[in-house]
């Protein structure tokens, strides 16, 4: 009975992960289309082929959203292939997400405590990423 339940759970997990992969692919494609639309709209209004700071920040935010989606796709792909979550990819997604937040943040309306918090998150993610990379290189060398 236990073996049968485990087999059912593995099948369920496999199809659920594939469904999530499909949804993520659709989301990344829709975001890329939205990025194209936003960029085209911004560049085609007078003055042509020029972006002001707010428009450029909006476009950069969309670029980073597409990159976050692609990194999440990579994470799901690794999970499907190796049945584990790759810590390095998770750190990269988090770093890109925080970077996106830093880029689109309105500093004139942001409390100093929030900025300190974001800087702490960036530092913690950077240290974590460094340690994961270092441990991977050490394990490869051994």
């Amino acid at each position: 009975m236990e073996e049968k339940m485990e087999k059912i759970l593995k099948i369920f997990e496999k199809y659920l992960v594939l469904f999530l992969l499909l949804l993520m692919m659709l989301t990344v494609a829709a975001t890329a289309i939205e990025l194209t639309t936003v960029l085209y709209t911004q560049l085609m209004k007078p003055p042509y082929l020029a972006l002001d700071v707010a428009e450029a920040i909006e476009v950069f935010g969309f670029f980073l959203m597409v990159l976050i989606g692609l990194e999440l796709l990579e994470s799901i792909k690794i999970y499907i292939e190796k049945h584990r979550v790759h810590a390095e990819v998770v750190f990269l997604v988090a770093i890109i997400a925080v970077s996106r937040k830093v880029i689109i943040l309105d500093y004139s309306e942001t409390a100093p405590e929030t900025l300190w918090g974001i800087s702490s998150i960036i530092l913690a993610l950077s240290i974590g990423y460094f340690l994961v990379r270092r441990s991977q290189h050490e394990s490869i060398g051994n």
Side-chain angles (χ1 to χ4, degrees):
M1 177 70 175
E2 191 175 309
E3 290 176 18
K4 188 174 184 177
M5 183 60 106
E6 190 173 318
K7 185 177 179 180
I8 290 170
L9 285 173
K10 282 186 178 190
I11 291 170
F12 174 76
E13 180 183 14
K14 176 184 174 183
Y15 285 107
L16 184 59
V17 169
L18 288 173
F19 180 67
L20 289 173
L21 184 63
L22 175 66
L23 289 177
M24 184 58 67
M25 289 168 49
L26 291 171
T27 303
V28 170
T31 305
I33 292 167
E34 180 69 20
L35 169 62
T36 304
T37 304
V38 167
L39 187 58
Y40 178 80
T41 303
Q42 300 294 353
L43 290 175
M44 290 299 118
K45 67 182 187 182
Y48 297 106
L49 301 177
L51 295 174
D52 65 18
V53 174
E55 293 166 340
I57 288 173
E58 182 182 6
V59 169
F60 289 149
F62 270 105
F63 271 112
L64 289 173
M65 278 184 18
V66 171
L67 285 177
I68 290 168
L70 290 174
E71 288 297 331
L72 287 171
L73 277 173
E74 181 68 21
S75 180
I76 294 170
K77 185 179 93 174
I78 290 171
Y79 182 80
I80 290 171
E81 293 172 353
K82 300 180 181 178
H83 298 288
R84 64 182 175 90
V85 176
H86 200 285
E88 184 180 353
V89 175
V90 173
F91 274 106
L92 286 174
V93 169
I95 289 169
I96 293 169
V98 173
S99 299
R100 179 184 179 276
K101 182 66 177 173
V102 168
I103 288 172
I104 65 172
L105 195 63
D106 183 1
Y107 293 98
S108 64
E109 296 181 15
T110 304
E113 296 82 12
T114 302
L115 297 176
W116 281 109
I118 291 172
S119 65
S120 299
I121 291 169
I122 292 170
L123 181 62
L125 288 171
S126 300
I127 291 169
Y129 182 76
F130 170 77
L131 292 173
V132 166
R133 291 284 295 179
R134 191 172 88 183
S135 71
Q136 288 175 346
H137 287 288
E138 287 176 3
S139 66
I140 292 172
N142 291 332

